[in-house]
Amino acid sequence: MVTIDLSGRNALVMGVANHRSLSWAIAQRLHAAGARLCLTYAGERLQSSVEELAGTLPGTLTLECDVTRDATIDTVAARLGEQLGSLQMLVHGIAFARKEDLEGAFVATPREGFMAALDVSAYSLLNVTHRVLPLLEKQGASIVTLSYLAAERAVPSYNVMGSAKAVLEQSVRQLAYELGPKAIRVNAISAGPVSTLAARGIHGFTGMLKQHAEKAPLKRNVTKEEVGSCGLFLMSDLSSGITGEVIYVDAGYSIMGW
Ligand code: NAP
């Protein structure tokens, strides 16, 4: 039997909003494997709920980080340097699009809505990686982000978020190429639909859940725990030969041709 031991390793986990968040499912798995965690929250609105969740995982730090404000990312990097010394894992579970840009005509997306979605959902992966790189460079590390099939297919209502996920997945490949010589791996999990705060912002999400469950080879939707397990695998040495990949955790939905 193979056991995953992440003791002595530190993870920065971004994108925990509540107990339903995919990042939270990954955080729980990493902690159970022995990792020390730092969870970030985007603003004061989420501070108490993230601190409450962190309290259930002994030794976990919490810090504020809004990825649209570089200074907050730099503060996180500095605090992690002081308190943990090094980072071996980065979980990027962050996405945002304005509600009005997830409704109506994609063709009419205003520039500011397009830029806001790409900034938070895609650019933040490289910006955060760049700003914590001195901590990651000390030893081999693994970075995981979360994507969705709309990166490569047209999905009703996904609109600008599909564009952002396409950029995110290409950024994974480019970062994997560039950081590979430093023994830093970069991968994405393309998750099937799971009911979270962000997902509920997609118009028609309940119908999407039903349709996925009907069409997927496994005849069901995935659970956040299954996404968490894949996150653990990608963070562990079991995946040491994998970088630049998009791994589907979607009950097989993406293989279907109709
Ligand atoms: P979630 O719990 O709502 O997580 C999204 C997180 O992004 C929240 O913590 C949110 O914080 C954070 N965020 C937004 N703007 C931010 C900013 N400026 N700075 C820092 N953090 C910011 O939803 P989730 O479904 O777990 O989403 C996690 C990732 O999985 C996303 O990339 C999503 O696209 C992806 N994904 C989800 C599904 C699904 O069906 N759920 C499927 C495939 C991929 P606030 O709440 O404060 O804004």
Short mmCIF file of all heavy atoms in Angstrom, two decimals, residues 14-24 40-43 45-46 50 65-69 72 92-97 119-121 124 145-149 158 161 165 168 189-200 202 205 208-209 222 227 249, ligand 1:
data_model
loop_
_atom_site.label_atom_id
_atom_site.label_comp_id
_atom_site.label_asym_id
_atom_site.label_seq_id
_atom_site.Cartn_x
_atom_site.Cartn_y
_atom_site.Cartn_z
N MET A 14 -4.95 28.98 -2.02
CA MET A 14 -5.70 30.20 -2.31
C MET A 14 -7.07 29.82 -2.90
O MET A 14 -7.14 28.96 -3.78
CB MET A 14 -4.94 31.07 -3.31
CG MET A 14 -3.49 31.27 -2.92
SD MET A 14 -2.61 32.36 -4.02
CE MET A 14 -3.06 33.95 -3.33
N GLY A 15 -8.12 30.48 -2.43
CA GLY A 15 -9.44 30.25 -3.02
C GLY A 15 -10.39 29.47 -2.15
O GLY A 15 -11.36 28.89 -2.65
N VAL A 16 -10.13 29.47 -0.83
CA VAL A 16 -11.12 28.86 0.07
C VAL A 16 -12.12 29.96 0.46
O VAL A 16 -11.75 30.95 1.08
CB VAL A 16 -10.46 28.29 1.35
CG1 VAL A 16 -11.53 27.79 2.32
CG2 VAL A 16 -9.48 27.19 0.99
N ALA A 17 -13.38 29.78 0.05
CA ALA A 17 -14.43 30.71 0.45
C ALA A 17 -15.24 30.11 1.59
O ALA A 17 -15.61 30.80 2.53
CB ALA A 17 -15.34 31.02 -0.73
N ASN A 18 -15.49 28.80 1.51
CA ASN A 18 -16.28 28.11 2.54
C ASN A 18 -16.03 26.60 2.43
O ASN A 18 -15.18 26.18 1.65
CB ASN A 18 -17.78 28.45 2.39
CG ASN A 18 -18.28 28.13 0.98
OD1 ASN A 18 -17.88 27.13 0.40
ND2 ASN A 18 -19.12 28.98 0.44
N HIS A 19 -16.83 25.82 3.17
CA HIS A 19 -16.56 24.37 3.22
C HIS A 19 -16.86 23.67 1.89
O HIS A 19 -16.49 22.52 1.70
CB HIS A 19 -17.36 23.72 4.36
CG HIS A 19 -18.83 23.66 4.09
ND1 HIS A 19 -19.66 24.76 4.21
CD2 HIS A 19 -19.60 22.64 3.69
CE1 HIS A 19 -20.89 24.41 3.90
NE2 HIS A 19 -20.88 23.14 3.57
N ARG A 20 -17.55 24.37 0.97
CA ARG A 20 -17.83 23.76 -0.33
C ARG A 20 -16.72 23.98 -1.35
O ARG A 20 -16.71 23.37 -2.42
CB ARG A 20 -19.12 24.37 -0.93
CG ARG A 20 -20.37 24.06 -0.16
CD ARG A 20 -21.54 24.77 -0.83
NE ARG A 20 -22.74 24.67 -0.04
CZ ARG A 20 -23.62 23.68 -0.13
NH1 ARG A 20 -23.41 22.71 -0.99
NH2 ARG A 20 -24.67 23.65 0.63
N SER A 21 -15.81 24.89 -1.08
CA SER A 21 -14.78 25.27 -2.06
C SER A 21 -13.90 24.09 -2.45
O SER A 21 -13.50 23.28 -1.61
CB SER A 21 -13.87 26.36 -1.47
OG SER A 21 -14.61 27.52 -1.17
N LEU A 22 -13.56 24.01 -3.74
CA LEU A 22 -12.67 22.93 -4.20
C LEU A 22 -11.30 23.05 -3.53
O LEU A 22 -10.67 22.04 -3.20
CB LEU A 22 -12.55 22.96 -5.72
CG LEU A 22 -13.87 22.76 -6.49
CD1 LEU A 22 -13.62 22.72 -8.00
CD2 LEU A 22 -14.59 21.48 -6.05
N SER A 23 -10.84 24.29 -3.31
CA SER A 23 -9.55 24.47 -2.64
C SER A 23 -9.59 23.93 -1.21
O SER A 23 -8.57 23.45 -0.69
CB SER A 23 -9.18 25.96 -2.56
OG SER A 23 -8.86 26.43 -3.82
N TRP A 24 -10.74 24.03 -0.57
CA TRP A 24 -10.87 23.50 0.78
C TRP A 24 -10.74 21.97 0.78
O TRP A 24 -10.09 21.38 1.65
CB TRP A 24 -12.19 23.95 1.41
CG TRP A 24 -12.48 23.36 2.76
CD1 TRP A 24 -13.53 22.58 3.12
CD2 TRP A 24 -11.68 23.51 3.95
NE1 TRP A 24 -13.45 22.22 4.44
CE2 TRP A 24 -12.32 22.77 4.98
CE3 TRP A 24 -10.50 24.17 4.24
CZ2 TRP A 24 -11.82 22.69 6.28
CZ3 TRP A 24 -9.98 24.09 5.54
CH2 TRP A 24 -10.64 23.37 6.53
N THR A 40 -5.48 31.62 2.21
CA THR A 40 -5.70 33.05 2.04
C THR A 40 -7.18 33.32 1.76
O THR A 40 -7.89 32.47 1.23
CB THR A 40 -4.86 33.63 0.88
OG1 THR A 40 -5.23 33.01 -0.35
CG2 THR A 40 -3.38 33.45 1.13
N TYR A 41 -7.61 34.50 2.14
CA TYR A 41 -8.98 34.94 1.86
C TYR A 41 -8.90 36.29 1.16
O TYR A 41 -7.98 37.08 1.38
CB TYR A 41 -9.82 35.02 3.14
CG TYR A 41 -9.17 35.81 4.23
CD1 TYR A 41 -9.36 37.19 4.34
CD2 TYR A 41 -8.32 35.18 5.15
CE1 TYR A 41 -8.72 37.92 5.32
CE2 TYR A 41 -7.68 35.90 6.14
CZ TYR A 41 -7.88 37.27 6.22
OH TYR A 41 -7.24 38.00 7.19
N ALA A 42 -9.90 36.53 0.27
CA ALA A 42 -9.81 37.70 -0.62
C ALA A 42 -10.05 39.03 0.09
O ALA A 42 -9.56 40.06 -0.34
CB ALA A 42 -10.78 37.54 -1.78
N GLY A 43 -10.82 39.00 1.16
CA GLY A 43 -11.10 40.26 1.86
C GLY A 43 -11.76 39.98 3.20
O GLY A 43 -12.06 38.83 3.53
N ARG A 45 -14.62 40.20 4.26
CA ARG A 45 -15.92 39.51 4.20
C ARG A 45 -15.77 38.01 4.51
O ARG A 45 -16.63 37.40 5.13
CB ARG A 45 -16.52 39.73 2.80
CG ARG A 45 -17.94 39.30 2.61
CD ARG A 45 -18.42 39.71 1.21
NE ARG A 45 -17.52 39.27 0.15
CZ ARG A 45 -17.56 38.06 -0.41
NH1 ARG A 45 -18.43 37.18 0.01
NH2 ARG A 45 -16.72 37.74 -1.38
N LEU A 46 -14.67 37.42 4.07
CA LEU A 46 -14.50 35.97 4.23
C LEU A 46 -13.57 35.61 5.38
O LEU A 46 -13.39 34.43 5.68
CB LEU A 46 -13.94 35.35 2.94
CG LEU A 46 -14.88 35.25 1.75
CD1 LEU A 46 -14.18 34.61 0.57
CD2 LEU A 46 -16.11 34.42 2.12
N VAL A 50 -13.06 31.75 6.87
CA VAL A 50 -11.81 31.04 6.54
C VAL A 50 -11.03 30.73 7.82
O VAL A 50 -10.47 29.64 7.97
CB VAL A 50 -10.98 31.85 5.52
CG1 VAL A 50 -9.60 31.22 5.31
CG2 VAL A 50 -11.71 31.95 4.19
N CYS A 65 -5.40 38.01 1.03
CA CYS A 65 -4.74 38.19 -0.27
C CYS A 65 -5.79 38.39 -1.36
O CYS A 65 -6.51 37.47 -1.72
CB CYS A 65 -3.86 37.00 -0.63
SG CYS A 65 -2.91 37.31 -2.13
N ASP A 66 -5.88 39.60 -1.86
CA ASP A 66 -6.71 39.90 -3.02
C ASP A 66 -5.76 39.95 -4.21
O ASP A 66 -4.88 40.83 -4.27
CB ASP A 66 -7.41 41.25 -2.81
CG ASP A 66 -8.22 41.70 -4.02
OD1 ASP A 66 -8.04 41.12 -5.12
OD2 ASP A 66 -9.00 42.65 -3.87
N VAL A 67 -5.91 39.03 -5.15
CA VAL A 67 -4.91 38.92 -6.22
C VAL A 67 -4.94 40.09 -7.21
O VAL A 67 -4.08 40.19 -8.07
CB VAL A 67 -5.02 37.57 -6.99
CG1 VAL A 67 -4.68 36.41 -6.09
CG2 VAL A 67 -6.39 37.41 -7.65
N THR A 68 -5.91 40.98 -7.06
CA THR A 68 -5.88 42.19 -7.90
C THR A 68 -4.99 43.26 -7.28
O THR A 68 -4.77 44.31 -7.86
CB THR A 68 -7.30 42.79 -8.12
OG1 THR A 68 -7.81 43.22 -6.85
CG2 THR A 68 -8.24 41.78 -8.75
N ARG A 69 -4.49 42.99 -6.05
CA ARG A 69 -3.62 43.96 -5.37
C ARG A 69 -2.27 43.31 -5.11
O ARG A 69 -2.13 42.47 -4.21
CB ARG A 69 -4.29 44.43 -4.08
CG ARG A 69 -5.59 45.23 -4.37
CD ARG A 69 -6.10 45.93 -3.14
NE ARG A 69 -6.56 45.00 -2.13
CZ ARG A 69 -6.25 45.07 -0.83
NH1 ARG A 69 -5.49 46.03 -0.38
NH2 ARG A 69 -6.71 44.18 0.01
N THR A 72 -0.75 42.90 -1.62
CA THR A 72 -1.21 41.86 -0.68
C THR A 72 -0.53 40.52 -0.99
O THR A 72 -0.27 39.73 -0.08
CB THR A 72 -2.76 41.68 -0.68
OG1 THR A 72 -3.19 41.19 -1.95
CG2 THR A 72 -3.48 42.95 -0.33
N HIS A 92 -3.92 27.04 -6.53
CA HIS A 92 -4.55 28.25 -7.07
C HIS A 92 -5.99 27.89 -7.45
O HIS A 92 -6.23 27.28 -8.48
CB HIS A 92 -3.75 28.72 -8.29
CG HIS A 92 -4.34 29.88 -9.03
ND1 HIS A 92 -5.29 29.73 -10.01
CD2 HIS A 92 -4.12 31.21 -8.92
CE1 HIS A 92 -5.63 30.92 -10.48
NE2 HIS A 92 -4.94 31.84 -9.84
N GLY A 93 -6.92 28.25 -6.56
CA GLY A 93 -8.33 27.90 -6.80
C GLY A 93 -9.17 29.15 -6.88
O GLY A 93 -10.20 29.26 -6.23
N ILE A 94 -8.70 30.09 -7.69
CA ILE A 94 -9.30 31.43 -7.73
C ILE A 94 -9.90 31.71 -9.09
O ILE A 94 -9.27 31.44 -10.12
CB ILE A 94 -8.19 32.47 -7.42
CG1 ILE A 94 -7.79 32.37 -5.96
CG2 ILE A 94 -8.63 33.88 -7.77
CD1 ILE A 94 -6.60 33.23 -5.61
N ALA A 95 -11.11 32.23 -9.10
CA ALA A 95 -11.72 32.66 -10.36
C ALA A 95 -12.75 33.73 -10.05
O ALA A 95 -13.34 33.75 -8.98
CB ALA A 95 -12.38 31.50 -11.08
N PHE A 96 -12.93 34.62 -11.02
CA PHE A 96 -13.94 35.68 -10.86
C PHE A 96 -14.37 36.19 -12.23
O PHE A 96 -13.53 36.37 -13.12
CB PHE A 96 -13.38 36.86 -10.05
CG PHE A 96 -14.28 38.07 -10.06
CD1 PHE A 96 -15.40 38.11 -9.24
CD2 PHE A 96 -14.02 39.13 -10.92
CE1 PHE A 96 -16.24 39.23 -9.26
CE2 PHE A 96 -14.86 40.23 -10.95
CZ PHE A 96 -15.98 40.29 -10.12
N ALA A 97 -15.67 36.36 -12.40
CA ALA A 97 -16.20 37.13 -13.54
C ALA A 97 -17.40 37.90 -13.02
O ALA A 97 -18.10 37.43 -12.12
CB ALA A 97 -16.61 36.21 -14.68
N ASP A 119 -7.79 38.79 -15.45
CA ASP A 119 -6.85 39.21 -14.41
C ASP A 119 -6.92 38.25 -13.21
O ASP A 119 -5.92 37.66 -12.80
CB ASP A 119 -7.20 40.65 -13.99
CG ASP A 119 -6.22 41.22 -12.97
OD1 ASP A 119 -5.13 40.64 -12.81
OD2 ASP A 119 -6.55 42.23 -12.34
N VAL A 120 -8.13 38.10 -12.67
CA VAL A 120 -8.28 37.29 -11.44
C VAL A 120 -8.14 35.80 -11.74
O VAL A 120 -7.51 35.06 -10.98
CB VAL A 120 -9.64 37.58 -10.77
CG1 VAL A 120 -9.88 36.64 -9.59
CG2 VAL A 120 -9.73 39.03 -10.32
N SER A 121 -8.70 35.34 -12.85
CA SER A 121 -8.82 33.89 -13.07
C SER A 121 -7.61 33.28 -13.77
O SER A 121 -7.43 32.07 -13.72
CB SER A 121 -10.08 33.60 -13.90
OG SER A 121 -11.18 34.34 -13.44
N SER A 124 -3.50 35.86 -12.41
CA SER A 124 -3.09 35.66 -11.01
C SER A 124 -2.22 34.41 -10.84
O SER A 124 -1.39 34.37 -9.94
CB SER A 124 -4.30 35.60 -10.08
OG SER A 124 -5.09 34.47 -10.38
N THR A 145 -3.64 24.36 -10.38
CA THR A 145 -4.75 25.29 -10.54
C THR A 145 -5.99 24.51 -10.96
O THR A 145 -5.92 23.31 -11.26
CB THR A 145 -4.40 26.40 -11.55
OG1 THR A 145 -5.44 27.39 -11.54
CG2 THR A 145 -4.25 25.85 -12.96
N LEU A 146 -7.13 25.20 -10.96
CA LEU A 146 -8.41 24.54 -11.26
C LEU A 146 -9.03 25.12 -12.51
O LEU A 146 -9.22 26.34 -12.62
CB LEU A 146 -9.35 24.69 -10.07
CG LEU A 146 -8.90 23.81 -8.88
CD1 LEU A 146 -9.34 24.39 -7.56
CD2 LEU A 146 -9.43 22.39 -9.06
N SER A 147 -9.33 24.23 -13.46
CA SER A 147 -9.91 24.68 -14.72
C SER A 147 -11.23 23.98 -14.98
O SER A 147 -11.73 23.23 -14.13
CB SER A 147 -8.91 24.41 -15.86
OG SER A 147 -9.35 25.07 -17.03
N TYR A 148 -11.79 24.27 -16.15
CA TYR A 148 -13.07 23.65 -16.53
C TYR A 148 -13.08 23.46 -18.04
O TYR A 148 -12.40 24.18 -18.78
CB TYR A 148 -14.25 24.53 -16.05
CG TYR A 148 -15.58 23.98 -16.49
CD1 TYR A 148 -15.98 22.70 -16.08
CD2 TYR A 148 -16.43 24.69 -17.33
CE1 TYR A 148 -17.18 22.18 -16.50
CE2 TYR A 148 -17.63 24.17 -17.75
CZ TYR A 148 -18.01 22.90 -17.34
OH TYR A 148 -19.19 22.36 -17.77
N LEU A 149 -13.87 22.52 -18.49
CA LEU A 149 -13.96 22.14 -19.90
C LEU A 149 -14.24 23.31 -20.84
O LEU A 149 -13.90 23.27 -22.03
CB LEU A 149 -15.08 21.08 -20.03
CG LEU A 149 -15.25 20.36 -21.36
CD1 LEU A 149 -14.00 19.60 -21.74
CD2 LEU A 149 -16.45 19.41 -21.29
N TYR A 158 -21.06 30.27 -19.91
CA TYR A 158 -19.71 30.35 -19.34
C TYR A 158 -18.98 31.59 -19.86
O TYR A 158 -18.08 32.11 -19.22
CB TYR A 158 -18.93 29.06 -19.61
CG TYR A 158 -18.23 28.54 -18.37
CD1 TYR A 158 -18.95 27.90 -17.37
CD2 TYR A 158 -16.88 28.74 -18.19
CE1 TYR A 158 -18.32 27.48 -16.22
CE2 TYR A 158 -16.24 28.31 -17.05
CZ TYR A 158 -16.96 27.67 -16.06
OH TYR A 158 -16.34 27.25 -14.92
N MET A 161 -15.66 33.44 -18.84
CA MET A 161 -14.90 32.51 -17.98
C MET A 161 -14.25 31.41 -18.82
O MET A 161 -13.19 30.90 -18.47
CB MET A 161 -15.83 31.92 -16.90
CG MET A 161 -15.09 31.14 -15.83
SD MET A 161 -13.76 32.06 -15.02
CE MET A 161 -14.70 33.06 -13.90
N LYS A 165 -10.34 30.51 -18.76
CA LYS A 165 -9.82 29.15 -18.52
C LYS A 165 -8.89 28.71 -19.66
O LYS A 165 -7.92 27.97 -19.42
CB LYS A 165 -10.97 28.16 -18.35
CG LYS A 165 -11.80 28.37 -17.09
CD LYS A 165 -10.98 28.29 -15.82
CE LYS A 165 -11.85 28.27 -14.56
NZ LYS A 165 -11.07 28.48 -13.33
N LEU A 168 -5.73 30.31 -18.85
CA LEU A 168 -5.17 29.63 -17.66
C LEU A 168 -4.46 28.34 -18.07
O LEU A 168 -3.34 28.07 -17.63
CB LEU A 168 -6.30 29.33 -16.67
CG LEU A 168 -5.89 28.65 -15.37
CD1 LEU A 168 -5.13 29.61 -14.46
CD2 LEU A 168 -7.12 28.10 -14.63
N ILE A 189 -6.21 20.85 -12.75
CA ILE A 189 -7.29 19.86 -12.65
C ILE A 189 -8.50 20.48 -13.35
O ILE A 189 -8.92 21.59 -13.00
CB ILE A 189 -7.67 19.58 -11.17
CG1 ILE A 189 -6.50 18.97 -10.42
CG2 ILE A 189 -8.90 18.68 -11.10
CD1 ILE A 189 -6.72 18.86 -8.90
N SER A 190 -9.02 19.80 -14.35
CA SER A 190 -10.25 20.27 -14.99
C SER A 190 -11.39 19.49 -14.35
O SER A 190 -11.60 18.31 -14.62
CB SER A 190 -10.21 20.03 -16.51
OG SER A 190 -11.38 20.56 -17.10
N ALA A 191 -12.09 20.18 -13.46
CA ALA A 191 -13.12 19.51 -12.65
C ALA A 191 -14.48 19.56 -13.34
O ALA A 191 -14.82 20.55 -13.99
CB ALA A 191 -13.21 20.20 -11.28
N GLY A 192 -15.24 18.50 -13.17
CA GLY A 192 -16.64 18.54 -13.57
C GLY A 192 -17.39 19.48 -12.63
O GLY A 192 -16.84 19.91 -11.62
N PRO A 193 -18.65 19.80 -12.94
CA PRO A 193 -19.37 20.76 -12.10
C PRO A 193 -19.61 20.25 -10.67
O PRO A 193 -20.02 19.12 -10.48
CB PRO A 193 -20.70 20.95 -12.84
CG PRO A 193 -20.83 19.79 -13.75
CD PRO A 193 -19.45 19.32 -14.06
N VAL A 194 -19.33 21.12 -9.72
CA VAL A 194 -19.56 20.85 -8.29
C VAL A 194 -20.23 22.10 -7.73
O VAL A 194 -19.82 23.21 -8.06
CB VAL A 194 -18.22 20.62 -7.55
CG1 VAL A 194 -18.47 20.38 -6.06
CG2 VAL A 194 -17.43 19.46 -8.15
N SER A 195 -21.24 21.91 -6.91
CA SER A 195 -22.00 23.06 -6.41
C SER A 195 -21.19 23.85 -5.37
O SER A 195 -21.03 23.44 -4.24
CB SER A 195 -23.31 22.58 -5.79
OG SER A 195 -24.08 23.70 -5.46
N THR A 196 -20.66 24.98 -5.82
CA THR A 196 -19.89 25.88 -4.94
C THR A 196 -20.43 27.30 -5.14
O THR A 196 -21.25 27.53 -6.04
CB THR A 196 -18.39 25.89 -5.32
OG1 THR A 196 -18.27 26.39 -6.65
CG2 THR A 196 -17.77 24.51 -5.22
N LEU A 197 -19.89 28.23 -4.36
CA LEU A 197 -20.32 29.63 -4.48
C LEU A 197 -20.10 30.14 -5.90
O LEU A 197 -20.99 30.72 -6.53
CB LEU A 197 -19.49 30.45 -3.49
CG LEU A 197 -20.07 31.73 -2.92
CD1 LEU A 197 -21.40 31.46 -2.24
CD2 LEU A 197 -19.07 32.33 -1.93
N ALA A 198 -18.89 29.92 -6.45
CA ALA A 198 -18.57 30.42 -7.79
C ALA A 198 -19.45 29.74 -8.84
O ALA A 198 -19.95 30.39 -9.76
CB ALA A 198 -17.10 30.18 -8.10
N ALA A 199 -19.66 28.43 -8.71
CA ALA A 199 -20.42 27.69 -9.71
C ALA A 199 -21.87 28.17 -9.76
O ALA A 199 -22.48 28.23 -10.83
CB ALA A 199 -20.37 26.20 -9.41
N ARG A 200 -22.40 28.53 -8.59
CA ARG A 200 -23.79 28.96 -8.56
C ARG A 200 -24.00 30.31 -9.25
O ARG A 200 -25.11 30.71 -9.51
CB ARG A 200 -24.32 28.94 -7.12
CG ARG A 200 -24.55 27.49 -6.64
CD ARG A 200 -25.45 27.45 -5.42
NE ARG A 200 -24.84 28.12 -4.27
CZ ARG A 200 -24.11 27.51 -3.35
NH1 ARG A 200 -23.94 26.22 -3.39
NH2 ARG A 200 -23.59 28.19 -2.35
N ILE A 202 -23.06 30.73 -12.26
CA ILE A 202 -23.24 30.40 -13.68
C ILE A 202 -24.73 30.15 -13.92
O ILE A 202 -25.33 29.26 -13.29
CB ILE A 202 -22.42 29.13 -14.06
CG1 ILE A 202 -20.94 29.30 -13.72
CG2 ILE A 202 -22.64 28.75 -15.52
CD1 ILE A 202 -20.15 30.16 -14.65
N PHE A 205 -26.76 26.51 -13.88
CA PHE A 205 -25.80 25.54 -13.32
C PHE A 205 -26.48 24.23 -12.90
O PHE A 205 -25.92 23.15 -13.09
CB PHE A 205 -25.06 26.17 -12.13
CG PHE A 205 -24.06 25.23 -11.52
CD1 PHE A 205 -22.87 24.94 -12.18
CD2 PHE A 205 -24.32 24.59 -10.32
CE1 PHE A 205 -21.95 24.05 -11.64
CE2 PHE A 205 -23.41 23.69 -9.77
CZ PHE A 205 -22.23 23.43 -10.44
N MET A 208 -26.85 22.06 -15.77
CA MET A 208 -25.54 21.56 -16.17
C MET A 208 -25.16 20.32 -15.35
O MET A 208 -24.66 19.33 -15.88
CB MET A 208 -24.50 22.67 -15.96
CG MET A 208 -23.15 22.39 -16.55
SD MET A 208 -21.93 23.61 -16.01
CE MET A 208 -22.31 24.97 -17.05
N LEU A 209 -25.44 20.38 -14.04
CA LEU A 209 -25.16 19.24 -13.17
C LEU A 209 -25.90 17.99 -13.64
O LEU A 209 -25.34 16.90 -13.74
CB LEU A 209 -25.62 19.55 -11.74
CG LEU A 209 -24.69 20.29 -10.79
CD1 LEU A 209 -25.41 20.55 -9.47
CD2 LEU A 209 -23.41 19.53 -10.54
N VAL A 222 -18.97 14.42 -10.19
CA VAL A 222 -17.85 14.18 -9.28
C VAL A 222 -18.13 14.87 -7.96
O VAL A 222 -18.99 15.75 -7.86
CB VAL A 222 -16.51 14.71 -9.84
CG1 VAL A 222 -16.01 13.83 -10.95
CG2 VAL A 222 -16.59 16.16 -10.25
N VAL A 227 -11.96 15.72 -6.29
CA VAL A 227 -11.06 16.78 -6.76
C VAL A 227 -9.92 16.94 -5.75
O VAL A 227 -8.75 17.07 -6.11
CB VAL A 227 -11.83 18.11 -6.94
CG1 VAL A 227 -10.89 19.24 -7.34
CG2 VAL A 227 -12.94 17.94 -7.99
N VAL A 249 -11.07 15.56 -13.88
CA VAL A 249 -11.74 14.85 -12.78
C VAL A 249 -13.22 15.18 -13.00
O VAL A 249 -13.76 16.14 -12.45
CB VAL A 249 -11.24 15.34 -11.40
CG1 VAL A 249 -11.95 14.59 -10.28
CG2 VAL A 249 -9.74 15.15 -11.28
P1 NAP B 1 -15.44 29.14 -4.66
O1 NAP B 1 -15.55 28.34 -3.44
O2 NAP B 1 -16.38 30.28 -4.83
O3 NAP B 1 -13.92 29.62 -4.83
C1 NAP B 1 -13.54 30.70 -5.66
C2 NAP B 1 -12.56 31.52 -4.87
O4 NAP B 1 -11.96 32.56 -5.68
C3 NAP B 1 -13.23 32.23 -3.69
O5 NAP B 1 -12.51 31.96 -2.52
C4 NAP B 1 -13.09 33.68 -4.09
O6 NAP B 1 -13.10 34.59 -3.02
C5 NAP B 1 -11.77 33.65 -4.82
N1 NAP B 1 -11.50 34.93 -5.46
C6 NAP B 1 -12.27 35.62 -6.33
N2 NAP B 1 -11.70 36.81 -6.61
C7 NAP B 1 -10.54 36.86 -5.90
C8 NAP B 1 -9.51 37.81 -5.76
N3 NAP B 1 -9.54 39.00 -6.40
N4 NAP B 1 -8.45 37.53 -4.96
C9 NAP B 1 -8.39 36.36 -4.29
N5 NAP B 1 -9.35 35.41 -4.37
C10 NAP B 1 -10.41 35.66 -5.17
O7 NAP B 1 -15.68 28.21 -5.96
P2 NAP B 1 -14.93 26.92 -6.52
O8 NAP B 1 -15.90 26.30 -7.43
O9 NAP B 1 -14.31 26.14 -5.44
O10 NAP B 1 -13.82 27.59 -7.45
C11 NAP B 1 -12.43 27.27 -7.33
C12 NAP B 1 -11.85 27.09 -8.72
O11 NAP B 1 -12.40 25.90 -9.29
C13 NAP B 1 -12.17 28.23 -9.69
O12 NAP B 1 -11.05 28.48 -10.50
C14 NAP B 1 -13.29 27.61 -10.53
O13 NAP B 1 -13.40 28.20 -11.81
C15 NAP B 1 -12.79 26.20 -10.61
N6 NAP B 1 -13.77 25.20 -11.06
C16 NAP B 1 -14.94 25.05 -10.39
C17 NAP B 1 -15.85 24.10 -10.83
C18 NAP B 1 -17.17 23.93 -10.14
O14 NAP B 1 -18.10 23.38 -10.74
N7 NAP B 1 -17.31 24.35 -8.91
C19 NAP B 1 -15.56 23.30 -11.94
C20 NAP B 1 -14.35 23.47 -12.59
C21 NAP B 1 -13.46 24.42 -12.13
P3 NAP B 1 -14.42 35.54 -2.85
O15 NAP B 1 -15.56 34.61 -2.58
O16 NAP B 1 -14.06 36.45 -1.74
O17 NAP B 1 -14.60 36.29 -4.13
#
